[in-house]
Amino acid sequence: MDEQLFFKKLNNLCTSKDIFYFISSLEVMSDTMAAGALQRISEVEMDDNGLKNPALLENEVFRALCFQFEFESSKLSNTGLLNALQALIKLRIDPQSTLMTSLLSESEERLGKGQLTTENLCSLGESLLELEGPSCVTLEQIVNHMQERDVKRWSPREIVMVYRILQVTAREGKQCQNLLNRLNSVTFYTVSQLSPNFTSVILNSLAVLHQTRAVLLVTALCKHSAKRVPYFTDHELVNVLEAFLFFGQKLQIFTEALERHVPRSILTMHPQTVSKVMHYCCKKMILSKPIFDAVAEGFISNADRLTTDQIASYIIPFGTLNYLPPSASSLFRKLEAVLHTRLRHFQPHTLLNLLHSCVLIQRYPINFLPKIFSPYFLQKLQAQPPGLNRVVMSQLTQLFLTVTLECPFYEGPKLLSKYQVKACPMPHSSPDIHLFKRVKTGLLYLLKKRIYFASEVSTPYFYVVDIEIKLDEEGLVLPAAQLEEVHRRIALCVDGQNRFCAHSHNLLGEEAIKQRHLQLLGYEVVQIPFFEIESLQNTRKMADYLHKKIFPCTHG
């Protein structure tokens, strides 16, 4: 039978029984046709759980095919040999069997003699990766042969395979940067032809291989990814998100693609993929209401099936980015129910991060704080990395301050003073230096003397005030160093872009709780957000703006 007709008929068969019947009807079959039959059997009989019907390995037609491949391996064409090897690996035939050792030794012998084409090398590399993993020394030989080939003539499949092999050999401490440079240059011009799978694999390889200089290629792949978001598998999307994080990429078109995809797919997406999406949004400070609202609904439906780490990954970004979804009441009821049944399963630091994120958005885990403040739990925190570092102790202190200021009815254990810190090292709390300088210049113009305000003032209550102004009983400004007759304290919060979600006027959770607590501690909080003052062109206009914000009663 003509090979083209053979493969056309073969690809229309959907069971191994039909394939065996079809093969039996043929008098003569080339080795590539026989290998194609094995490949088709592997496609229809394998799923995520393995071989659907193990009995097929005992089928006489299957055994006859394997017999010929085993004892006539030296007579096979390169394509027949390597396609058969791939199919048998997918069918999970014992690598130590005489069949597999015969095919492998023949493949390696031809590799050593330089008889394999680039396509053959890629096929063998793929088989070895599947069979033996990163430690396979033959992969190095394949890379050495690849070095001698003309990269410009490779197909996208061959390019992808070489990236995969290089990624694995690099983990063994062997990196071929010269080949990578050539590969990166050629790949740039093929990006538009790449399938979702190839795009994901290459981005993942570039990240693993630390190709930070391949800026043009990475940018092109990230833009291409935005068009492929609906077509990525869960695993592929995770790889893409990890690459975006590694290379510091943040594209609006990619975010918009996620906003369309996640709400449609939330109930079928793997929880680990949802966790990675939320982690990406959190790291990039992207408050996407369509994504967050969908994830909240997904949590309400699936929380009982999530691991403790996944639960934390779903919830923590809501606190970090200071957002309550429309389903907030149901979301936190579900979280409380899950915590009641599975509290002991959470790792100490995961639990602390989770509960701390809740208080940022005024969801108070009162029932669980006695555990957090208990000496036993604090010892467990100290025993596990990162231990009781300043960030962890700041979270504990902020939890304690929250129940003290916002939950006066709490009567459980208190946090011992040795676990409290006096100043808060929040990652986004430092003021924007340029903005801060402009505000201070405007205040000096308004108040005439520098003694009338103090900057970066440490309070006895954990927080640092950007600028503090003191007033007496009649509302007159006092020198900042004066301690007596202080009737009112004004805290100016100079909020640069680093204190807001990306492309948003929504304060981050850590800044929102700080301003809330300063008010409860008796300060009059005046927010000076970047978007209100960036258009003020001179010091006089800045002073007028500050006058209106700080002293509205006397303005004009």
Side-chain angles (χ1 to χ4, degrees):
M1 181 182 285
D2 172 67
E3 279 199 10
Q4 195 172 358
L5 178 60
F6 170 83
F7 281 107
K8 186 177 179 181
K9 288 190 173 186
L10 180 67
N11 290 331
N12 286 327
L13 302 176
C14 298
T15 68
S16 56
K17 183 179 177 181
D18 291 340
I19 295 169
F20 291 141
Y21 182 79
F22 174 53
I23 293 169
S24 302
S25 69
L26 302 175
E27 289 184 16
V28 181
M29 192 167 49
S30 69
D31 62 350
T32 53
M33 291 159 73
L38 288 177
Q39 285 187 310
R40 185 61 184 157
I41 291 167
S42 72
E43 288 167 7
V44 300
E45 289 293 344
M46 295 297 293
D47 60 20
D48 292 340
N49 299 316
L51 194 59
K52 296 178 193 173
N53 176 24
L56 78 84
L57 300 182
E58 301 302 319
N59 180 281
E60 60 181 32
V61 180
F62 181 81
R63 289 168 68 87
L65 283 172
C66 292
F67 182 86
Q68 293 221 283
F69 277 110
E70 181 179 343
F71 291 102
E72 297 186 8
S73 60
S74 61
K75 298 177 184 177
L76 299 172
S77 67
N78 287 344
T79 303
L81 170 69
L82 296 167
N83 286 355
L85 181 62
Q86 273 192 327
L88 293 168
I89 288 170
K90 285 179 184 173
L91 287 166
R92 299 184 187 174
I93 303 300
D94 181 8
Q96 304 303 320
S97 66
T98 53
L99 167 62
M100 294 298 282
T101 53
S102 174
L103 294 178
L104 281 166
S105 62
E106 180 63 30
S107 302
E108 289 173 7
E109 186 178 334
R110 294 187 193 188
L111 172 66
K113 291 177 179 177
Q115 295 174 351
L116 302 182
T117 65
T118 301
E119 186 178 359
N120 296 154
L121 290 170
C122 290
S123 183
L124 179 58
E126 196 167 14
S127 296
L128 293 173
L129 284 174
E130 190 76 26
L131 191 64
E132 301 182 43
S135 62
C136 180
V137 291
T138 314
L139 287 173
E140 286 181 48
Q141 280 183 270
I142 293 174
V143 171
N144 291 337
H145 281 286
M146 288 293 191
Q147 298 261 37
E148 302 163 7
R149 306 296 167 93
D150 183 2
V151 178
K152 293 177 183 177
R153 302 179 68 176
W154 292 355
S155 69
R157 177 180 171 273
E158 290 163 350
I159 288 171
V160 167
M161 198 60 245
V162 175
Y163 271 117
R164 283 189 63 200
I165 295 172
L166 290 173
Q167 178 178 339
V168 168
T169 54
R171 288 191 188 126
E172 297 290 296
K174 302 173 181 69
Q175 189 159 331
C176 305
Q177 191 58 53
N178 182 43
L179 176 57
L180 267 169
N181 290 342
R182 288 157 55 206
L183 199 56
N184 292 344
S185 298
V186 169
T187 305
F188 176 74
Y189 296 102
T190 65
V191 167
S192 61
Q193 304 167 35
L194 298 176
S195 68
N197 174 257
F198 287 177
T199 305
S200 170
V201 170
I202 294 175
L203 270 173
N204 178 244
S205 296
L206 291 171
V208 171
L209 293 163
H210 293 88
Q211 295 299 292
T212 50
R213 292 186 178 181
V215 179
L216 291 176
L217 174 58
V218 169
T219 304
L221 285 166
C222 288
K223 288 180 179 177
H224 187 62
S225 297
K227 302 171 189 173
R228 295 286 183 265
V229 166
Y231 310 106
F232 287 127
T233 64
D234 282 333
H235 176 68
E236 289 164 1
L237 183 55
V238 167
N239 279 346
V240 170
L241 288 165
E242 286 177 346
F244 265 71
L245 288 168
F246 177 81
F247 290 111
Q249 291 282 330
K250 184 172 70 176
L251 297 174
Q252 185 60 28
I253 54 170
F254 183 74
T255 302
E256 289 167 2
L258 285 176
E259 288 178 339
R260 291 188 294 271
H261 176 65
V262 173
R264 283 200 302 259
S265 313
I266 190 67
L267 297 179
T268 55
M269 285 177 81
H270 192 283
Q272 203 57 38
T273 310
V274 180
S275 298
K276 185 59 70 175
V277 170
M278 292 301 276
H279 177 67
Y280 170 76
C281 289
C282 199
K283 284 288 183 184
K284 296 294 182 182
M285 300 302 169
I286 299 169
L287 174 55
S288 167
K289 293 182 181 180
I291 293 175
F292 278 52
D293 292 350
V295 170
E297 295 293 343
F299 183 86
I300 294 164
S301 304
N302 298 323
D304 297 322
R305 295 195 288 272
L306 303 179
T307 67
T308 52
D309 283 342
Q310 288 165 354
I311 290 168
S313 297
Y314 274 54
I315 299 299
I316 288 173
F318 286 94
T320 304
L321 302 189
N322 186 29
Y323 178 64
L324 286 171
S327 59
S329 57
S330 301
L331 175 67
F332 286 96
R333 266 200 309 273
K334 186 66 179 180
L335 176 61
E336 186 166 15
V338 169
L339 286 173
H340 272 300
T341 56
R342 299 171 63 186
L343 191 68
R344 68 182 184 279
H345 298 138
F346 280 83
Q347 290 296 314
H349 287 281
T350 304
L351 183 60
L352 176 61
N353 288 334
L354 177 59
L355 299 186
H356 177 259
S357 72
C358 291
V359 301
L360 297 179
I361 42 177
Q362 295 178 276
R363 290 297 181 269
Y364 309 111
I366 297 299
N367 296 326
F368 309 105
L369 288 180
K371 176 183 175 72
I372 296 292
F373 294 151
S374 71
Y376 174 68
F377 183 81
L378 294 169
Q379 286 171 9
K380 285 175 71 177
L381 271 179
Q382 191 160 15
Q384 292 185 7
L388 286 173
N389 62 17
R390 280 188 64 76
V391 172
V392 172
M393 290 179 70
S394 294
Q395 288 178 317
L396 288 168
T397 305
Q398 203 163 42
L399 272 173
F400 178 62
L401 197 57
T402 298
V403 293
T404 304
L405 294 173
E406 301 185 60
C407 310
F409 49 85
Y410 173 74
E411 296 178 349
K414 310 292 185 188
L415 181 67
L416 297 175
S417 58
K418 68 177 181 177
Y419 295 111
Q420 297 178 34
V421 291
K422 293 180 179 178
C424 165
M426 294 187 295
H428 300 94
S429 61
S430 300
D432 178 310
I433 296 172
H434 176 68
L435 203 67
F436 203 47
K437 187 176 179 181
R438 288 187 64 206
V439 171
K440 287 196 290 185
T441 304
L443 269 180
L444 186 58
Y445 187 94
L446 176 66
L447 301 178
K448 307 306 180 193
K449 289 186 179 179
R450 181 65 179 82
I451 62 168
Y452 290 119
F453 64 92
S455 56
E456 298 186 88
V457 179
S458 295
T459 70
Y461 310 105
F462 177 68
Y463 296 110
V464 174
V465 173
D466 292 337
I467 295 174
E468 183 184 57
I469 298 173
K470 297 175 181 177
L471 305 179
D472 66 11
E473 196 168 356
E474 295 178 2
L476 300 175
V477 180
L478 298 171
Q482 187 166 323
L483 301 176
E484 298 168 353
E485 298 179 8
V486 178
H487 188 66
R488 293 161 56 199
R489 292 174 187 267
I490 298 174
L492 266 60
C493 295
V494 184
D495 295 330
Q497 291 187 29
N498 61 323
R499 294 183 181 177
F500 292 87
C501 300
H503 311 297
S504 165
H505 295 173
N506 194 78
L507 273 178
L508 295 173
E510 63 188 28
E511 188 60 27
I513 194 173
K514 170 187 169 180
Q515 295 185 17
R516 197 164 72 237
H517 283 178
L518 286 174
Q519 281 185 314
L520 291 168
L521 289 164
Y523 282 91
E524 292 178 32
V525 175
V526 176
Q527 189 186 6
I528 311 293
F530 74 94
F531 50 85
E532 287 185 2
I533 59 177
E534 58 188 359
S535 62
L536 301 178
Q537 295 169 352
N538 57 48
T539 303
R540 186 174 178 177
K541 286 184 178 179
M542 175 67 79
D544 188 61
Y545 165 84
L546 292 170
H547 191 171
K548 188 176 181 180
K549 288 283 284 194
I550 304 168
F551 309 109
C553 296
T554 62
H555 183 259

